[in-house]
Amino acid sequence: MANMSIFDISGRAMAAQLVRLNTTASNLANANSVSTTKEGAFRALKPVFKTVSGGEGVATVQVSQVVSSNTDPTKRHDPGNPLADQNGDVWDAGVDQAGELVEMMETARQYQNNVQVLQTAKSLTLDTLRLEK
Amino acid sequence: MANNDPLFGLSGDALKLRSQRMALLASNIANAATPNYKARDFDFQKALAAAQSGTSADQAASQTAGYRVPLEASLDGNTVELSTEQTLFAENAVQYKTTLAFLQGRISTVMTALKGE
């Protein structure tokens, strides 16, 4: 059938979920960074998942690109900040922290699902190999 | 594919189809977060009947394949529902093991007959 085994399918899905976890970590790390200008402020990074077909019926997933989200940075009045502009304003990073935490949990769950699939496939393959015993 | 495999009966075809279905369900689980991905599956009973009547296991699976109707539509066009897919994957894994057990029984019967002990 297809030129893609369950190990390819789940392995690549795990890699994609790991990229997603990395972007979440970057977003949370930069959640409290500030900038002088709106354009310079950090915006959350989001991976774009894309299906990779492996022939008849089977498919895995890959991250086709990582884009900056359109969450707008927020202006905050903080004249004491060395990065403040002439009005005394700074721009906070455009990161939805609660949303990122939810994303992190979802990523972990889906990663675990793929690990479980891999374990099941492995033990069934080994059972098949030991068939005559 | 032999119409009636004299040694293993339908277990050989069944094992192949179980393995294909496992790959299909693994694909669904892998694409749980991909926008616009449509979950797929095939009707095992129909596929096995097709395989028994001379179609190859690959063809039997693709002939009977279809898209899953989601219980609850999601906004991003993805139709994978993890609970459904996980349940079916577990069920399919158990049935794969059952088919293996049938094969094992058949093999040990034949081995006993061959050894004549």
Side-chain angles (χ1 to χ4, degrees):
Chain A
M1 64 163 191
N3 49 0
M4 194 184 269
S5 73
I6 296 187
F7 299 95
D8 298 325
I9 296 169
S10 296
R12 290 181 69 174
M14 279 159 66
Q17 297 290 351
L18 213 53
V19 171
R20 189 177 171 198
L21 193 62
N22 275 328
T23 60
T24 308
S26 314
N27 294 344
L28 286 173
N30 282 290
N32 288 318
S33 65
V34 294
S35 169
T36 315
T37 60
K38 187 179 179 183
E39 291 70 37
F42 181 83
R43 282 162 191 260
L45 298 170
K46 295 284 171 197
V48 178
F49 279 24
K50 186 168 153 283
T51 303
V52 181
S53 176
E56 188 51 55
V58 296
T60 184
V61 64
Q62 71 168 19
V63 176
S64 63
Q65 53 177 331
V66 177
V67 297
S68 286
S69 80
N70 49 12
T71 318
D72 271 336
T74 47
K75 191 162 74 169
R76 183 162 52 86
H77 190 61
D78 186 8
N81 197 309
L83 285 175
D85 58 15
Q86 63 266 46
N87 301 325
D89 293 332
V90 290
W91 290 88
D92 278 334
V95 175
D96 173 8
Q97 291 198 55
E100 292 297 332
L101 283 172
V102 172
E103 181 101 2
M104 184 184 78
M105 277 157 57
E106 196 182 328
T107 309
R109 267 301 295 276
Q110 292 183 356
Y111 188 93
Q112 282 172 352
N113 283 334
N114 282 300
V115 173
Q116 193 66 49
V117 166
L118 213 58
Q119 274 176 353
T120 310
K122 189 184 86 175
S123 77
L124 287 177
T125 308
L126 289 175
D127 285 348
T128 315
L129 277 173
R130 295 195 214 96
L131 191 56
E132 80 283 10
K133 278 165 203 151
Chain B
M1 203 55 37
N3 191 350
N4 277 313
D5 192 329
L7 193 56
F8 293 129
L10 51 72
S11 296
D13 283 337
L15 199 68
K16 268 190 187 169
L17 287 171
R18 285 284 170 220
S19 142
Q20 295 208 342
R21 183 146 185 252
M22 188 156 70
L24 206 56
L25 295 173
S27 308
N28 290 345
I29 293 175
N31 281 286
T34 317
N36 284 318
Y37 178 84
K38 308 293 178 205
R40 302 191 68 189
D41 199 357
F42 66 81
D43 186 327
F44 184 80
Q45 207 169 355
K46 282 186 192 155
L48 187 58
Q52 285 299 103
S53 61
T55 322
S56 78
D58 295 349
Q59 276 189 320
S62 59
Q63 276 169 12
T64 52
Y67 292 100
R68 184 160 350 272
V69 178
L71 299 171
E72 204 90 46
S74 73
L75 270 181
D76 64 356
N78 182 305
T79 61
V80 178
E81 281 164 335
L82 269 178
S83 48
T84 313
E85 302 302 332
Q86 280 174 311
T87 317
L88 289 174
F89 187 86
E91 193 183 356
N92 192 60
V94 170
Q95 286 162 336
Y96 184 100
K97 274 208 116 155
T98 314
T99 309
L100 268 188
F102 286 144
L103 276 172
Q104 197 129 32
R106 183 72 186 148
I107 289 170
S108 67
T109 310
V110 172
M111 289 304 267
T112 313
L114 282 174
K115 285 178 184 160
E117 283 158 6

